[in-house]
């Protein structure tokens, strides 16, 4: 899993419910989900289908925009049967739903399921299914580790600042002073603080770089959406009369850009 996903993802706020073990590829697929907290639906939130073992948000097979419904209630989206994988080679794989916010943050992951066709002659065994469930649990664990690491660094920085302030205040009230010893001690403390600040700055620069990459990825997603929209418009035009035309009109103008990094200069 890419480091950028682990860095940006917070606690999962979306739970997929009534996920079946298998879905036929010749029927529309309904995905149901609820918000586990008082989450607010944002512009750009979407539910995507990935093959299990995916390593990048670009590895999605298809997605639908999340509906602006009541967060406390049951929500659902429909994946059109014409978009689902239908070849025998594909339908023997495992898939999972992922809820991705408009800021490219993974907010929910479902248990694995299979999409099968009439030509499929076998399904995955229980061992493979258990393995993918373990991979899903491992991903959730990675999503929380980086947040804890950043919090720990912030706490250490605050403690170092308090220690330096205490040393300076203590020296002010001392009657007899050895300035040479104090200067040496302060230099050591200052050097330690500079090293700590430098390490944290490098970490922040790394975060900035990865957020910049995610912004570029967000733009690529929008471009892929436009290309997919044109593709399916062509498919709808070729359908015989009487077949309902797919409604792929989305208000892309309502999507908001990624927010600036907190430490960027205005």
């Amino acid at each position: 899993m890419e480091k950028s996903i682990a860095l940006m993802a917070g606690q999962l706020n979306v739970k997929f419910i009534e996920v079946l073990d298998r879905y036929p590829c010749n029927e529309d697929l309904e995905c149901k989900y609820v918000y586990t907290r008082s989450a607010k639906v944002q512009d750009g939130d979407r539910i995507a289908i990935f093959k299990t073992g995916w390593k990048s948000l670009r590895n999605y097979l298809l997605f639908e925009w999340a509906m602006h419904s009541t967060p406390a209630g049951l929500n659902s989206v429909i994946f059109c049967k014409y978009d689902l994988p239908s070849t025998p080679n594909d339908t023997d794989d495992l898939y999972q739903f992922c809820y991705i916010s408009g800021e490219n943050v993974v907010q929910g992951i479902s248990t694995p399921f299979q999409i099968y066709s009439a030509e499929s002659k076998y399904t995955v065994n229980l061992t493979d299914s258990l393995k993918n469930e373990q991979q899903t649990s491992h991903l959730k664990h990675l999503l929380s580790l980086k947040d804890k690491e950043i919090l720990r660094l912030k706490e250490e920085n605050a403690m170092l600042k308090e220690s330096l302030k205490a040393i300076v205040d203590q020296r002010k009230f001392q009657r007899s002073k050895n300035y040479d010893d104090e200067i040496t001690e302060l230099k050591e403390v200052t050097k330690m603080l500079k090293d700590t600040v430098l390490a944290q700055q490098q970490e922040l620069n790394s975060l900035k770089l990865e957020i910049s990459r995610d912004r570029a990825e967000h733009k690529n997603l929008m471009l892929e959406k436009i290309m997919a929209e044109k593709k399916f418009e062509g498919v709808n035009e070729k359908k015989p009369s009487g077949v309902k035309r797919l409604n792929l009109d989305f208000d892309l103008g309502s999507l908001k850009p990624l927010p600036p990094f907190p430490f960027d200069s205005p």
Side-chain angles (χ1 to χ4, degrees), residues 4-19:
S4 59
I5 298 176
L7 280 171
M8 296 190 65
Q11 295 181 339
L12 303 182
N13 295 322
V14 177
K15 179 181 180 182
F16 294 95
I17 61 174
E18 299 180 11
V19 178

Side-chain angles (χ1 to χ4, degrees), residues 81-94:
K81 61 184 179 181
Y82 298 110
D83 301 334
L84 300 176
S86 58
T87 61
N89 290 335
D90 286 342
T91 52
D92 291 325
D93 292 317
L94 287 176

Side-chain angles (χ1 to χ4, degrees), residues 178-196:
N178 186 333
Y179 290 103
D180 292 336
D181 292 340
E182 287 185 0
I183 291 173
T184 301
E185 184 177 355
L186 287 175
K187 284 182 178 180
E188 292 177 354
V189 173
T190 302
K191 182 179 183 302
M192 181 176 62
L193 286 174
K194 286 182 178 179
D195 292 342
T196 301

Side-chain angles (χ1 to χ4, degrees), residues 205-253:
N205 289 339
S206 177
L207 290 174
K208 288 183 180 180
L209 178 60
E210 292 183 11
I211 288 179
S212 176
R213 291 174 180 170
D214 284 336
R215 288 178 177 170
E217 183 176 298
H218 182 268
K219 292 181 181 178
N220 290 336
L221 284 174
M222 293 301 102
L223 179 59
E224 291 174 4
K225 178 68 186 85
I226 294 174
M227 294 176 65
E229 187 179 67
K230 291 182 179 180
K231 175 182 177 182
F232 286 111
E233 284 180 356
V235 172
N236 287 332
E237 290 176 358
K238 294 181 181 179
K239 288 185 179 178
S241 60
V243 178
K244 185 176 179 182
R245 179 182 178 89
L246 295 175
N247 184 9
L248 298 176
D249 295 331
F250 299 100
D251 186 8
L252 296 180

